[in-house]
Amino acid sequence: MADVFELRINDDNHVMSSAELAQALAWADVVCPTVTDSLTGALLSAPTVNAKLLANFGVGFNHIDMAAASRAGIAVTNTPGVLTDATAEIALTLMLSSARRAGEGERLVRSGQWDGWHPTHMLSTQVTGKTLGIVGMGRIGLAFAKQAHHGLGMNIMYSSRVTRSEQALEGLPAKHCALDELLATSDFVSLHCPATPQTRHLINSQTLSKMKPTAHLINTARGDVINEEDLIAALRQGVIAGAGLDVYAAEPKLSEGLADLPNVVLLPHMGSGTTQTRVAMGECALANIRAFAEDRPLPNQVS
Ligand code: DGY
């Protein structure tokens, strides 16, 4: 890109302040934000904005005020498809780790407190053959459902705005149902919906109370979809058995009390974090930037 654009890079990956983001938007024609860059309406509607393209490095774009971008005539692109399998793998990792108490077991061994094998030591929940409920059957939801069904013989239910055709489900036997039925029936509930005003706090004390007390909740989507205070209370009180989280409402900060719970597995937003996938995401973002530079249609325009 250095042959086409003059570049400024956030070399040390610090979380950019509003002032720094405002400067970037004023200086550059193209800004390549990540999930940590909160591009608010105020920033995007400032009279100093010069940027014409936000080539987001990631598929989710809830950190960008899309209405303000569109009002300012700024196009937004993302990197869909290339992170599907990697993110599904992290959902699978969290489901297995939460059910089989892998986090607790690892902490026990490292602490030097493990006193050896015995018949009732660290009993946990078997996953094979159980029911997985997918909330939001997009690319990642489907990839995870396929891994769970083909790899672990799990039954799949899903709630989604639309019923997927057999072709869209790639032959996967999956039952479409209302969220309430999914919550009441699933042994594992995995969130794959985008963060929108409609999905904000979709998982709260009310919806959590509809889940089985033996169930586990998995989130690789966005932190905002869960009311974390309600989840912490539910995990404390045994309303559900466990949770596995890769995303949080105020990353990288955790809600008070979350890290103290033994029955939650916590990962640092690493769903797309394989070398292969991050390179592919970069190439995808570059394809969008090149198209912009050459005045061609943007391959992954989301607005
Ligand atoms: C994505 O691509 O949405 C990942 O969560 C990183 O932002």
Side-chain angles (χ1 to χ4, degrees), residues 20 257 291:
E20 287 174 307

Side-chain angles (χ1 to χ4, degrees), residues 34-35 57-61 79 83 220-222 247 269 272 278 281:
T34 71
V35 66
F57 183 80
V59 69
F61 46 85
T79 62
L83 42 71
T220 53
R222 282 292 183 264
V247 287
H269 199 149
S272 63
R278 290 283 162 84
M281 286 164 69

Side-chain angles (χ1 to χ4, degrees), residues 49-204:
V49 170
N50 167 65
K52 290 152 200 82
L53 171 65
L54 302 178
N56 189 50
F57 183 80
V59 69
F61 46 85
N62 60 304
H63 52 289
I64 300 172
D65 185 325
M66 297 298 282
S70 148
R71 275 196 303 274
I74 306 172
V76 181
T77 56
N78 70 346
T79 62
V82 294
L83 42 71
T84 303
D85 291 331
T87 308
E89 284 176 9
I90 285 292
L92 182 65
T93 304
L94 286 169
M95 176 172 70
L96 291 169
S97 302
S98 186
R100 299 305 311 272
R101 301 175 64 184
E104 275 179 86
E106 223 251 355
R107 289 192 290 277
L108 181 70
V109 173
R110 282 183 191 273
S111 73
Q113 311 273 301
W114 181 34
D115 56 5
W117 192 96
H118 59 85
T120 56
H121 184 235
M122 285 209 72
L123 298 182
S124 61
T125 302
Q126 191 150 313
V127 179
T128 302
K130 299 281 171 59
T131 296
L132 169 64
I134 301 279
V135 179
M137 192 56 118
R139 288 190 189 88
I140 299 170
L142 179 60
F144 177 38
K146 281 164 53 187
Q147 291 171 356
H149 178 74
H150 298 306
L152 293 163
M154 296 184 83
N155 308 307
I156 309 296
M157 310 178 72
Y158 72 99
S159 68
S160 202
R161 275 172 300 140
V162 287
T163 309
R164 304 277 169 209
S165 66
E166 211 182 305
Q167 194 188 5
L169 289 171
E170 299 172 18
L172 180 80
K175 180 185 169 191
H176 184 239
C177 64
L179 180 64
D180 278 3
E181 184 185 345
L182 179 145
L183 294 173
T185 317
S186 300
D187 300 301
F188 299 90
V189 172
S190 188
L191 306 176
H192 298 282
C193 49
T196 64
Q198 291 73 38
T199 61
R200 184 177 151 73
H201 290 184
L202 180 73
I203 301 299
N204 53 45

